[in-house]
């Protein structure tokens, strides 16, 4: 006794549906991995700037302009150039002292990183931005950095 044509067609349809579901899950997984990679790079850039802040004296012009960072990488078998912009700006309640606009020993700065991320097959770009605020203090000779609550 063998399979009827209807059973064969039904089995092929079920296998086809399962294959399509698995393929779409793999595609979504790649997309999420790429997004996570880009966000992780942004986070690393933010942490690098915080480290630089600890070595930067008040009144320095090091952070008076945005810092452009281009990273060449290969994702999903394609070479891509990722471009990030890192900024250090006066934060809410800033005295401006860190940027040379005051004599106070305490200031609030906002460190941010931004980039463009593709939204999918359409090729449109969506802006992404991550930021946080820091209180910077100048006790004596050194610079102290503390995250704002």
């Amino acid at each position: 006794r063998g399979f009827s044509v209807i059973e064969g067609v039904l089995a092929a349809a079920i296998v086809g549906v399962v294959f399509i579901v698995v393929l779409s899950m793999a595609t979504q997984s790649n997309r999420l991995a790429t997004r996570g990679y880009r966000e992780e790079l942004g986070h690393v850039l933010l942490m690098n700037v915080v480290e630089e802040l600890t070595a930067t004296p008040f009144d320095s012009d090091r952070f008076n302009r945005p810092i452009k960072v281009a990273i060449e990488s290969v994702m999903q078998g394609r070479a891509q150039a990722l471009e990030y912009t890192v900024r250090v700006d006066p934060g809410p309640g800033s005295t401006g002292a860190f940027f040379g606009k005051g004599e106070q020993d305490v200031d609030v700065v906002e460190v941010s990183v931004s980039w463009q991320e593709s939204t999918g097959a359409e090729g449109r770009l969506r802006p992404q931005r991550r930021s946080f605020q820091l209180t910077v203090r100048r006790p004596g000779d050194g610079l102290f950095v503390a995250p704002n609550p």
Side-chain angles (χ1 to χ4, degrees):
R1 170 157 152 94
F3 292 104
S4 70
V5 172
I6 293 177
E7 290 172 326
V9 169
L10 186 59
I14 291 172
V15 168
V17 168
V18 168
F19 178 75
I20 290 171
V21 168
V22 169
L23 185 63
S24 69
M25 287 173 42
T27 302
Q28 181 69 11
S29 174
N30 281 339
R31 192 175 304 128
L32 290 174
T34 300
R35 179 183 289 168
Y37 175 73
R38 289 178 178 160
E39 287 198 22
E40 181 64 25
L41 284 176
H43 181 73
V44 168
L45 288 171
L46 282 174
M47 294 296 100
N48 285 344
V49 169
V50 169
E51 288 296 320
E52 278 189 61
L53 280 171
T54 62
T56 303
F58 274 36
D59 308 1
S60 170
D61 65 351
R62 168 71 178 106
F63 296 107
N64 286 351
R65 61 194 175 285
I67 301 166
K68 301 281 186 181
V69 179
I71 299 172
E72 296 289 330
S73 115
V74 176
M75 289 185 276
Q76 299 176 2
R78 293 183 309 228
Q80 294 185 0
L82 304 174
E83 295 182 7
Y84 293 86
T85 302
V86 182
R87 297 180 56 93
V88 177
D89 296 309
S94 172
T95 63
F98 183 76
F99 299 95
K101 299 176 182 161
E103 297 298 322
Q104 297 84 353
D105 288 336
V106 177
D107 202 359
V108 178
V109 297
E110 180 176 37
V111 182
S112 65
V113 63
S114 58
W115 68 95
Q116 299 285 326
E117 190 167 284
S118 174
T119 60
E122 303 88 38
R124 291 184 302 207
L125 296 177
R126 180 179 61 207
Q128 298 290 317
R129 183 174 185 271
R130 303 292 179 265
S131 66
F132 58 91
Q133 297 167 8
L134 299 169
T135 300
V136 290
R137 295 185 179 94
R138 178 175 35 188
D141 298 339
L143 179 66
F144 173 74
V145 178
N148 281 354

